[in-house]
Amino acid sequence: MRWIEIMLVLFNVWMLGGLMLGRPKSQRGWLIGGGISAVLLLVHAFVEGLRWPMIPMYLVTLWAIVGGVRPFLRPTARIEGKSRQRWKTLIIGGVGVVYAAVSIALPLLFPVFSFAEPTGPYKIGTITYHWTDSAREERFTKASGDSRELAVQIWYPASSEATGKKAPYLSDPAPYIEGLHEFLHLPEFLFSGFKLVNTHAIANAGLADTESKYPVLLFSHGFMGYKNQNMFQVEQLASHGYIVVGIEHAYSSVASVFPDKPVVKFDSEGKMGYEQMKYSFMDRRNEVWVEDAKFVLDRMEALSANDPSGLFTDRIDLEHMGMFGHSFGGATTVQMLLDDQRIQAGIDMDGVLYGEKRIPTDGLKKPFLLMSADDTLKGVDQTTDAEINALGTNREEITAYYNELFARYEPVTAGGNYWMTFKKSTHMSFSDLYLLTPLFKWMEGVDVSGTHELINEYTLDFFDHYLKGQPLQYLNINLGDHPKFTLQQGAE
């Protein structure tokens, strides 16, 4: 909850008890209480913004105001017996307690969350681009001749003198909220909190002058994800001196917004359930993502040579570039490690290894860290019939799917690379989604903040070592089994 929200809730609960149980004979209590509550509500509305979980509290304010002006409209009062007054007080008190509990619970269960303060020495800047790859025809549109378009957002270490309003989490949240509603089959209002979430980044801030150049990290979201979905992680990296480039893979993201064009929605190509999981389908789909990543690297090289705004000219360290991604973006990271020499190190966060190429038996020959949720690795034996039926397939096909999954994972650690498995975690633990409400955490039994802290610690440790040449702090000393994770390294 936000500060003015907290003040409004505390005051309204106190007022609710006083007015319902105390029932003052004079109207002073109603007038004073309603007036203060109204002022808090107005300040909250203009400073923080109204939102649906606070509706019960808004109604308390309205009730107090109405109670204050009612005697002027109806000056006569009916006299009741003491016994009836006692029962009425008890009933009203019980209703008031339940109402107060619900009014407090709703904004706590559906908060306007905030991201943890980044620990790095840099402020954070951000800038958004709309890039068109004129050399590639868009395969997801009906009209021939359409070129591939991408929305790209960059976060970077900003000047210590940078000032300005903090950028919103989503600059145009409505399409993403609608997309998440359709993807997760949850009520749309549950995602409305995204409209009010801000980040630590300042739009179009100047680049920090501490270093002459900064290394680059590409970020690729998950299938039906979006470029901002790992804000907890990209801000941390930017605050520690990385230029982080978030790619939104149009028609595979939950939504994409381009200037002066209709919203681009996810295109399933008519595939649902298990049909959408098949390696034949996903391997082919991944080819588009790999080309997206290569194109974005080309554009970063162009910005380094000559940025029209001057922001990145000669400031991008093209000799030290890495990549990380969640889910399908993690699979894309592996394909880029195999296919593009510019990517020197990569992290796959819970991504099945879809893609055209396979990791050789002797390893990637580049630094690599696979992060997995234990739930993802549960295998066919722990997959229920209900889960299989929901996918529209059978146990035989799911068994074949898992056999292929683990076969593709087998050479992950070869050549001295790492595999980290998080305990009591799920696929979406690697994104911002579970920050939306603690209900996700309770239902799934996951420690969201703890998982995010571990992800950030090991992501930084990995890239700081392999791109900046700094000594390892965690990866080399925490091998083995631990209460929250296991970490293994293959033989070099």
Side-chain angles (χ1 to χ4, degrees):
M1 291 175 65
R2 298 167 293 177
W3 283 109
I4 303 175
E5 279 185 359
I6 293 172
M7 293 170 64
L8 179 61
V9 167
L10 291 177
F11 181 81
N12 276 10
V13 169
W14 173 81
M15 181 178 64
L16 187 67
L19 295 181
M20 293 188 73
L21 301 180
R23 301 190 62 78
K25 294 180 180 179
S26 91
Q27 294 303 308
R28 181 177 299 175
W30 290 95
L31 291 171
I32 295 175
I36 295 174
S37 182
V39 170
L40 287 173
L41 175 54
L42 287 172
V43 175
H44 156 67
F46 283 104
V47 175
E48 296 176 334
L50 302 175
R51 61 192 190 97
W52 73 264
M54 290 289 292
I55 288 176
M57 279 298 160
Y58 304 155
L59 293 177
V60 172
T61 302
L62 178 62
W63 173 70
I65 293 172
V66 171
V69 301
R70 185 175 55 181
F72 300 102
L73 304 176
R74 297 176 57 190
T76 58
R78 186 173 49 172
I79 300 175
E80 299 177 345
K82 291 184 178 179
S83 177
R84 188 172 180 181
Q85 286 180 345
R86 187 180 304 114
W87 280 107
K88 188 175 180 180
T89 300
L90 289 174
I91 293 171
I92 291 174
V95 171
V97 169
V98 173
Y99 190 88
V102 172
S103 300
I104 295 171
L106 279 176
L108 290 174
L109 291 175
F110 302 98
V112 177
F113 67 87
S114 58
F115 295 102
E117 192 73 28
T119 62
Y122 295 99
K123 289 186 176 182
I124 304 167
T126 187
I127 189 169
T128 302
Y129 295 96
H130 169 215
W131 286 338
T132 301
D133 186 355
S134 56
R136 253 195 315 161
E137 185 171 355
E138 181 57 76
R139 57 177 275 189
F140 294 104
T141 58
K142 295 179 180 179
S144 62
D146 287 346
S147 296
R148 178 71 171 164
E149 297 180 70
L150 294 174
V152 173
Q153 187 166 357
I154 300 178
W155 297 267
Y156 53 89
S159 167
S160 59
E161 299 177 356
T163 58
K165 187 178 180 181
K166 298 300 174 65
Y169 180 56
L170 296 169
S171 57
D172 189 359
Y176 297 91
I177 290 172
E178 181 183 351
L180 288 168
H181 152 67
E182 293 174 356
F183 167 41
L184 298 172
H185 307 292
L186 293 171
E188 194 168 323
F189 67 81
L190 295 180
F191 304 100
S192 61
F194 281 147
K195 297 178 182 178
L196 300 171
V197 174
N198 288 321
T199 68
H200 296 99
I202 301 170
N204 304 311
L207 192 65
D209 292 328
T210 309
E211 302 289 339
S212 59
K213 294 184 178 182
Y214 295 94
V216 173
L217 296 174
L218 295 192
F219 170 69
S220 181
H221 59 73
F223 205 55
M224 291 179 277
Y226 51 101
K227 64 182 183 301
N228 311 68
Q229 68 159 62
N230 278 50
M231 192 65 66
F232 80 92
Q233 189 179 25
V234 298
E235 286 199 332
Q236 179 76 339
L237 289 164
S239 79
H240 282 267
Y242 290 93
I243 297 173
V244 185
V245 186
I247 310 168
E248 196 159 83
H249 302 277
Y251 298 97
S252 294
S253 59
V254 73
S256 286
V257 180
F258 299 121
D260 304 320
K261 291 193 174 184
V263 171
V264 173
K265 295 186 176 182
F266 173 76
D267 187 340
S268 67
E269 298 185 72
K271 306 292 184 181
M272 301 294 290
Y274 179 67
E275 290 296 315
Q276 203 175 83
M277 294 170 54
K278 284 184 175 180
Y279 294 98
S280 56
F281 171 71
M282 296 296 263
D283 287 353
R284 183 174 62 87
R285 186 89 173 215
N286 188 254
E287 295 172 5
V288 178
W289 288 44
V290 171
E291 292 304 314
D292 287 347
K294 291 180 178 179
F295 168 68
V296 169
L297 283 180
D298 293 342
R299 293 306 299 257
M300 294 304 294
E301 290 176 341
L303 283 179
S304 178
N306 182 25
D307 182 353
S309 70
L311 181 64
F312 293 117
T313 303
D314 293 328
R315 303 299 308 279
I316 300 174
D317 187 354
L318 300 175
E319 301 300 317
H320 297 91
M321 296 199 290
M323 185 170 177
F324 66 109
H326 173 235
S327 191
F328 207 55
T332 305
T333 298
V334 174
Q335 293 298 307
M336 287 294 289
L337 285 168
L338 289 165
D339 204 41
D340 197 309
Q341 291 303 312
R342 292 173 292 183
I343 298 297
Q344 299 168 338
I347 297 176
D348 174 353
M349 294 181 292
D350 211 39
V352 174
L353 297 183
Y354 294 116
E356 176 190 3
K357 296 187 176 181
R358 303 287 171 269
I359 299 176
T361 55
D362 57 349
L364 282 164
K365 303 294 192 299
K366 291 180 180 179
F368 177 62
L369 167 61
L370 173 64
M371 294 179 172
S372 297
D374 58 355
D375 182 68
T376 302
L377 304 177
K378 63 184 180 182
V380 68
D381 293 338
Q382 297 180 51
T383 304
T384 66
D385 290 338
E387 290 173 322
I388 294 173
N389 291 334
L391 291 171
T393 186
N394 55 55
R395 189 164 290 275
E396 181 181 0
E397 285 190 317
I398 290 297
T399 299
Y401 174 85
Y402 271 110
N403 288 340
E404 176 67 14
L405 180 146
F406 290 118
R408 294 188 181 199
Y409 277 155
E410 191 170 340
V412 156
T413 61
N417 282 328
Y418 299 91
W419 191 349
M420 186 177 187
T421 303
F422 293 89
K423 299 178 180 179
K424 295 183 179 180
S425 62
T426 65
H427 190 59
M428 299 310 293
S429 300
F430 295 86
S431 73
D432 299 331
L433 182 66
Y434 284 172
L435 297 174
L436 191 62
T437 168
L439 289 175
F440 286 132
K441 178 177 70 174
W442 299 334
M443 289 188 298
E444 300 287 352
V446 297
D447 176 13
V448 180
S449 59
T451 299
H452 285 182
E453 287 177 8
L454 282 172
I455 290 171
N456 281 341
E457 286 176 355
Y458 283 81
T459 299
L460 269 175
D461 194 37
F462 178 84
F463 285 125
D464 280 351
H465 180 67
Y466 290 109
L467 296 184
K468 292 185 176 182
Q470 298 179 8
L472 288 170
Q473 299 184 35
Y474 301 106
L475 284 166
N476 61 335
I477 63 173
N478 287 334
L479 296 174
D481 187 52
H482 301 272
K484 294 184 177 180
F485 65 92
T486 59
L487 178 62
Q488 54 183 302
Q489 183 183 21
E492 296 188 26

